[in-house]
Amino acid sequence: MKFIKKNLPVILLAAAIVPLAPVMAATAESADAIMAKVDHATRTAYSTQLASVKITTCKYMLVGGNVKCSEKPRVVVAENIKKGAVVDGRYNDKSLLIVREPISDKGTSLLVYEYGERNRDNDNWLYLPALGKVNRVIASDDDAGSVFGSEFSVETTENPEARKIYEYTYKILEETNYQNRPAWVIEMMPTEEKGRKTSYGKVISWIDKETHLPLKEDLYRNGKIHKQRTQTDIRNIDGVNVMLKVVINNRSASRVSQMDYMAMRHNTEVPDDFLSQRGLTDFAFRERSLAEYRARLAK
């Protein structure tokens, strides 16, 4: 299955806030049960994912209530390959994100290993072809953890697809509508252990009741919203519900990044050796594999 999204001359941020309904005296599902379904929808609903993405980043200003770039946007086109598996009852994930454009950054790659084992941090490696060097990325470092200079980060609190469900406690705050969809508003608080590894004090998430995908998230640092994440354009691709547009607004820096998924496939074979440091540094091996994945995305 293939889909193409038109280039956007301006990054727009969904800023409308729906008034929250009163908390219901009783809810049909507990917050923990809801978040278990969110964990499945965002992380384990597929075994592999191939995707072509465009990430657009810029400083912004507000014009008529809309977010518009105040500088020439930086645009990165990349390919992302992910594979997940359950090992000893725990979900593990490997992903490789490879830059195609701009030419000056072509081949720059980010390899991420996510471990389900408690008390084990994820591994992240960045390959810079100009230097021929692989660097380990520290997820708690905001600058080093940036994905190709964007507001997307390897910091797991910022990414619903990378959070480990046991690292947070959950509470339903409201039931409401957001983006014309019924949603739960859930507060996520890091456990004491997780709190030592993240600069975020809490996350407020609007969870779609139908797909169990996050529609919006407010990420709090020092008691204030530091970043906002919005996800739109729900599609079902190969039987998997996904959001095809993701916006991260860094309110502290007045900087915004938008990720558009231009093509995607699920549950197609990906060998383990591709998602390794060989896939980072062996250009001929990587390009042979990518040619095959691009053909699958084009179908």
Side-chain angles (χ1 to χ4, degrees):
M1 179 178 295
K2 181 184 178 183
F3 53 91
I4 301 294
K5 299 182 70 64
K6 295 181 179 179
N7 292 334
L8 300 178
V10 177
I11 297 177
L12 300 179
L13 179 69
I17 299 177
V18 178
L20 299 180
V23 177
M24 298 180 67
T27 57
E29 292 186 87
S30 69
D32 287 352
I34 293 168
M35 294 309 297
K37 292 181 179 179
V38 172
D39 186 64
H40 172 72
T42 56
R43 287 155 42 88
T44 64
Y46 52 86
S47 59
T48 64
Q49 182 185 81
L50 310 178
S52 175
V53 301
K54 180 178 72 173
I55 304 172
T56 308
T57 301
C58 67
K59 292 279 288 185
Y60 69 81
M61 57 185 176
L62 291 174
V63 178
N66 291 325
V67 170
K68 294 189 177 181
C69 292
S70 58
E71 62 183 9
K72 182 178 179 180
R74 170 177 166 78
V75 179
V76 174
V77 176
E79 293 160 311
N80 192 32
I81 298 89
K82 298 176 62 176
K83 183 175 185 178
V86 176
V87 179
D88 296 330
R90 302 181 181 93
Y91 177 73
N92 291 259
D93 179 89
K94 297 179 180 180
S95 65
L96 180 57
L97 186 64
I98 304 167
V99 173
R100 292 179 60 184
E101 300 175 14
I103 295 298
S104 58
D105 295 332
K106 186 174 181 178
T108 299
S109 308
L110 178 66
L111 176 66
V112 177
Y113 282 13
E114 176 193 324
Y115 306 107
E117 183 180 352
R118 288 179 182 267
N119 304 320
R120 184 176 182 182
D121 293 334
N122 296 345
D123 283 324
N124 309 279
W125 297 276
L126 179 67
Y127 174 64
L128 302 172
L131 302 177
K133 185 177 180 181
V134 176
N135 294 320
R136 185 178 292 272
V137 178
I138 306 302
S140 59
D141 186 324
D142 287 341
D143 294 326
S146 171
V147 175
F148 305 146
S150 73
E151 288 303 320
F152 292 93
S153 172
V154 298
E155 215 280 30
T156 56
T157 302
E158 295 187 17
N159 184 358
E161 295 184 355
R163 292 186 195 129
K164 299 172 184 178
I165 192 170
Y166 55 80
E167 291 185 329
Y168 302 85
T169 60
Y170 308 100
K171 180 171 70 173
I172 299 174
L173 299 182
E174 312 281 353
E175 295 190 33
T176 187
N177 286 297
Y178 183 74
Q179 299 176 359
N180 296 317
R181 299 183 69 89
W184 293 284
V185 182
I186 293 183
E187 178 185 73
M188 290 181 275
M189 300 291 293
T191 61
E192 182 178 352
E193 180 181 351
K194 178 64 178 178
R196 293 193 291 267
K197 300 177 182 179
T198 180
S199 59
Y200 288 104
K202 68 177 178 181
V203 178
I204 306 297
S205 184
W206 281 250
I207 304 297
D208 180 51
K209 287 190 175 184
E210 179 184 351
T211 64
H212 292 92
L213 295 173
L215 301 171
K216 173 188 172 183
E217 293 191 335
D218 291 343
L219 296 102
Y220 284 78
R221 181 178 291 174
N222 299 322
K224 297 180 180 180
I225 298 175
H226 174 60
K227 286 187 176 182
Q228 287 183 313
R229 179 187 182 104
T230 56
Q231 302 193 141
T232 56
D233 198 359
I234 298 175
R235 302 280 183 90
N236 186 284
I237 299 174
D238 300 324
V240 180
N241 292 317
V242 293
M243 300 283 199
L244 299 186
K245 181 186 294 184
V246 184
V247 176
I248 297 284
N249 177 11
N250 185 329
R251 292 177 49 165
S252 300
S254 296
R255 199 164 179 268
V256 65
S257 292
Q258 177 170 308
M259 180 182 291
D260 291 293
Y261 286 87
M262 298 183 291
M264 185 183 291
R265 291 294 307 272
H266 292 105
N267 302 322
T268 183
E269 183 180 358
V270 176
D272 286 333
D273 62 347
F274 180 76
L275 299 172
S276 68
Q277 293 209 24
R278 183 186 179 191
L280 278 179
T281 60
D282 187 334
F283 177 80
F285 166 71
R286 186 178 66 208
E287 287 303 308
R288 285 196 303 270
S289 300
L290 286 175
E292 180 181 340
Y293 299 149
R294 288 167 190 155
R296 296 181 200 173
L297 282 172
K299 292 182 179 179

